Amino acid sequence: MTAAALAAERAARESYGRLLAILAARSRDIATSQDALADAFAAALEHWPQDGVPQQPEAWLLTVARRRTLDGWRRAQVEQASVQTLLLLADELAWDSPSAVPDERLSLMFVCAHPAVASAARSPLMLQTVLGLDVARMAGAFLTAPATLSQRLVRAKARIREAGIPFEHPRSRDLVPRLHDVMEGIYAAYGTGWDDVEGADGPRQGLTAEAIALARILHRLLPREPEPAGLLALMLFCEARAQSRRDAAGQYVPLDQQDTALWSRSDMEKAEELLAGAASLGAPGPFQLEAAIQSAHTQHRLGHAVPASALVALYDGLLAFSPSLGAQVSRACAVARADGPHAGLAALDALAQSETGSYQPYWAARADLLAQAGRTAQALQAYDKALGLASSAAVKNHLLLQSSRLQQKPPGTATGPNLHD
């Protein structure tokens, strides 16, 4: 890639959400702002190789995108509200070599969490607008077909425009009701980066770092709300293990096999501090419980006594708040650790087959528990099913290795417990 192309790629990765938030705050139209920003990046790829990369690429992109928005209004002969037009023009005149583009991403996230937006569209809309993720990449995370998710996002943007939702931090009385959806969006962003184990470390680290930065901002904004602290603690527990999730060859390493010497002690200590502070506020919630589960896994791997029944109780608490399929599968694994693989399999059998049929973690967990129970033939079938549903090459390689090892074991030999990260 040329220097100009690299600069444009870096600006897109690091500044897309900030630029879109500023544009949308003035135009009140997310789709139009996305189009204008796309035009600005296209113009950058055209002009920067000839004219050189500007000293402040973000400012250049924002200026071009603003002009594209104004030009679009003029061409369409749309009588936009004079306030938005004047604000865009005023921004254009006032933008005199700024040192940095202001960060209005949280405002945009709270817009996406407005009650007028369909609940199923809120988190993916945040990921698309704030972090620039495309529909194809997001669809799997939300267990939705790309075409369905795309239509959902189009409707959500139109609803925001038609309802005239203000692009600003909501008032205090409106902030907390939208808080959970904003946190779900941030955590979905983190999970999207965390699950990218194909070797593309730059984009993965970029997404996870962005999500953690947004969680820190949210925690500072609402220091007396326990759930933002729980969310930040949850991500820091996970991030503490980032360097141990792959071996030297880039292969996936499950939690129970990771080298704990590679774990970040500073991240774990900060996570424990945040979790304790959140618990002291006396208002438990799903993110605090997920963080507590990660803490339990961490302490267990570090050699501290953590009763298996305590982990089951934490999952029971989490399911009372958020009965997700992923939490139910993880609870079954915790039950297996407490009461043996047959109890874990019974917990998996109790789940609705209509939901588990295409859910890869279910089949990976089932294969592992069947292997522990000595039911080798059924375990191998479950591994095959999990392999067919896996989208990550690293995870596929891990499952193939587990299946291969099982085939080499003498009949009746059970595998040991396997904690999944």
Side-chain angles (χ1 to χ4, degrees), residues 15 96 102 273 283 315 346 360 414:
S15 306
D96 184 17
E273 177 187 334
Y315 275 114
Q360 188 270 340

Side-chain angles (χ1 to χ4, degrees), residues 249-282:
Q251 298 300 312
Y252 168 73
V253 182
L255 176 58
D256 64 324
Q257 298 173 25
Q258 290 176 10
D259 181 358
T260 60
L262 298 176
W263 290 2
S264 168
R265 293 303 190 269
S266 61
D267 280 346
M268 288 189 291
E269 289 170 2
K270 181 61 178 176
E272 293 287 1
E273 177 187 334
L274 285 162
L275 184 56
S280 70
L281 295 173

Side-chain angles (χ1 to χ4, degrees), residues 303-346:
H304 302 293
V306 178
S309 58
L311 195 58
V312 176
L314 287 172
Y315 275 114
D316 286 338
L318 176 61
L319 287 167
F321 281 103
S322 178
S324 68
L325 181 57
Q328 292 178 78
V329 170
S330 295
R331 180 190 179 278
C333 294
V335 168
R337 199 171 108 187
D339 301 321
H342 294 288
L345 286 167

Side-chain angles (χ1 to χ4, degrees), residues 54-135:
Q55 289 186 345
Q56 295 170 357
E58 291 178 332
W60 191 98
L61 290 163
L62 188 56
T63 297
V64 172
R66 281 191 179 119
R67 290 172 181 171
R68 290 288 194 276
T69 302
L70 289 168
D71 289 345
W73 288 347
R74 294 183 186 116
R75 285 195 302 270
Q77 295 182 339
V78 175
E79 293 185 3
Q80 295 288 339
S82 59
V83 172
Q84 279 90 5
T85 304
L86 291 172
L87 284 172
L88 272 173
L89 291 170
D91 284 345
E92 178 76 12
L93 294 172
W95 197 268
D96 184 17
S97 300
S99 58
V101 173
D103 196 336
E104 297 184 16
R105 289 174 297 173
L106 273 182
S107 294
L108 182 55
M109 295 187 82
F110 277 104
V111 169
C112 296
H114 193 280
V117 177
S119 58
R122 292 170 192 167
S123 289
L125 184 60
M126 292 176 205
L127 294 183
Q128 188 191 61
T129 57
V130 175
L131 293 174
L133 297 186
D134 59 52
V135 170

Side-chain angles (χ1 to χ4, degrees), residues 378-394:
Q378 291 174 290
L380 291 172
Q381 291 177 350
Y383 273 125
D384 287 342
K385 181 73 171 180
L387 276 163
L389 294 169
S391 59
S392 162

Side-chain angles (χ1 to χ4, degrees), residues 211-263:
I212 290 174
L214 288 169
R216 290 188 194 278
I217 295 171
L218 193 61
H219 177 49
R220 287 197 300 270
L221 180 67
L222 298 165
R224 299 299 299 170
E225 286 291 331
E227 279 290 83
L231 170 63
L232 182 54
L234 168 60
M235 292 193 293
L236 289 178
F237 275 126
C238 295
E239 197 66 12
R241 302 194 297 268
Q243 299 305 313
S244 62
R245 291 183 77 232
R246 301 187 208 173
D247 61 19
Q251 298 300 312
Y252 168 73
V253 182
L255 176 58
D256 64 324
Q257 298 173 25
Q258 290 176 10
D259 181 358
T260 60
L262 298 176
W263 290 2

